[in-house]
Amino acid sequence: MTTVDLPRGRILHLDTPVIMGILNVTPDSFSDGGRYYQTDSAVIKAQALLADGATILDIGGESTRPGAPDVSLEDELARVIPAIEAIRAHSDSAVNECIISIDTSKSEVMRQAILAGADIINDVRALQEANALATVAQFPDVAVCLMHMQGQPRTMQSDPQYDDLFDDINLFFTQRIKACETAGIQRQRLILDPGFGFGKTLSHNFQILARFNEFNHFGLPVLAGLSRKSMLGNLLNRQTNERLAGSLAGALIAAQNGAKIIRVHDVKETADVLGVWQACEQGIKK
């Protein structure tokens, strides 16, 4: 059984894949921007995600879609901290005791989010921004998801190229794991994410999905986040709100190839797909 110890005695069990439900408190996210911008709406959405089968809530206050504008520290804090505090303070024990991830690259947002109740730092820049490593190292129980991205959100999709896609991503993970350990962040606190859509062509994305199990050699949990992304829209010629079937197919393929965390918008449907697959797996093992 794979487990990750988290703050305040919470434990993330990863013997079977778990669902990370996306909760964007931004006005401009590519899929649901503005819908959960107000704190009350965010709490209601959090309850729904948990009821539908999410184990982790991933709260983000800055869109990282291609071409997205930067968000100031003050604006990001104003979006995410009240949401985290409200979710933690809610009287429903399931909400209060849920696992919360903060999707950010700013060290001060990380610090304040952890103090407000976050358990996981989910950083698309893999703790490469100023003071990020040192900040996370101060909180020994917090887990960290290190995502691979070529370039920066504004320009990452302009012309992504690799000498060898898998060698390059694996080298990046090796370097970031070492940087974390050098800073005092224990290896067992780390989660890896190859970064679907972050500096990847359509071909790159589907190569990663097909060979997702090649990232398992690090012995760390690997996260798959391809829900509703343009890799599905471009392949299937589907608008954002028409990508459910493609997202579910991607989630299942990733889980079958060793993904331990599946980051999605459509939690209930993903839980159903994973439930059927896991029932088959258990039946075969028996």
Side-chain angles (χ1 to χ4, degrees):
M1 179 182 293
T2 301
T3 62
V4 180
D5 293 332
L6 298 170
R8 306 163 190 89
R10 285 184 281 274
I11 299 174
L12 177 59
H13 296 278
L14 296 172
D15 47 326
T16 58
V18 302
I19 296 172
M20 173 185 278
I22 298 169
L23 180 48
N24 291 314
V25 287
T26 61
D28 61 345
S29 173
F30 83 95
S31 180
D32 53 6
R35 294 182 64 184
Y36 312 113
Y37 190 46
Q38 300 299 319
T39 299
D40 290 346
S41 297
V43 172
I44 293 170
K45 179 61 175 179
Q47 289 180 290
L49 291 172
L50 294 168
D52 286 346
T55 297
I56 307 168
L57 301 176
D58 191 41
I59 299 173
E62 178 178 16
S63 175
T64 51
R65 74 187 192 284
D70 293 334
V71 173
S72 71
L73 172 62
E74 292 74 17
D75 285 348
E76 190 172 347
L77 287 171
R79 294 172 183 178
V80 301
I81 301 304
I84 294 171
E85 291 176 339
I87 291 168
R88 278 282 173 241
H90 199 272
S91 59
D92 186 332
S93 60
V95 172
N96 192 43
E97 292 305 314
C98 69
I99 295 172
I100 294 177
S101 167
I102 176 66
D103 184 353
T104 187
S105 296
K106 296 184 179 72
S107 62
E108 183 60 17
V109 176
M110 295 174 188
R111 187 186 71 82
Q112 292 197 34
I114 293 168
L115 294 175
D119 306 289
I120 300 172
I121 303 298
N122 183 16
D123 184 3
V124 300
R125 295 176 177 85
L127 302 186
Q128 294 183 93
E129 295 295 288
N131 301 316
L133 284 167
T135 296
V136 175
Q138 295 173 14
F139 299 93
D141 295 328
V142 172
V144 185
C145 184
L146 306 170
M147 197 197 78
H148 174 272
M149 173 172 58
Q150 186 181 91
Q152 294 294 325
R154 284 188 177 183
T155 59
M156 62 187 178
Q157 290 303 107
S158 59
D159 186 26
Q161 297 184 24
Y162 295 85
D163 292 330
D164 183 289
L165 178 64
F166 288 87
D167 284 351
D168 288 358
I169 295 175
N170 279 316
L171 176 60
F172 175 84
F173 283 150
T174 298
Q175 292 171 339
R176 295 315 299 156
I177 291 168
K178 182 178 180 180
C180 287
E181 292 179 315
T182 300
I185 301 169
Q186 296 177 322
R187 183 186 179 94
Q188 60 264 35
R189 296 166 57 190
L190 303 179
I191 300 163
L192 306 178
D193 177 358
F196 288 107
F198 284 81
K200 318 290 194 304
T201 65
L202 185 65
S203 176
H204 293 149
N205 286 316
F206 283 98
Q207 288 178 58
I208 291 170
L209 181 58
R211 297 166 57 186
F212 199 85
N213 59 3
E214 294 190 26
F215 301 112
N216 293 327
H217 69 89
F218 288 100
L220 297 171
V222 186
L223 180 151
L226 48 77
S227 177
R228 301 185 188 175
K229 286 191 173 177
S230 61
M231 62 180 282
L232 304 171
N234 293 336
L235 178 73
L236 304 171
N237 192 27
R238 295 288 185 265
Q239 298 300 312
T240 304
N241 62 355
E242 300 175 317
R243 298 173 187 172
L244 174 59
S247 297
L248 295 177
L252 178 59
I253 293 168
Q256 290 174 324
N257 282 280
K260 292 300 184 183
I261 302 173
I262 313 293
R263 183 180 183 272
V264 302
H265 300 85
D266 304 291
V267 170
K268 181 183 289 187
E269 294 85 352
T270 305
D272 285 350
V273 168
L274 295 181
V276 172
W277 169 62
Q278 288 166 11
C280 292
E281 288 288 291
Q282 292 167 2
I284 291 170
K285 290 176 183 179
K286 291 179 181 179

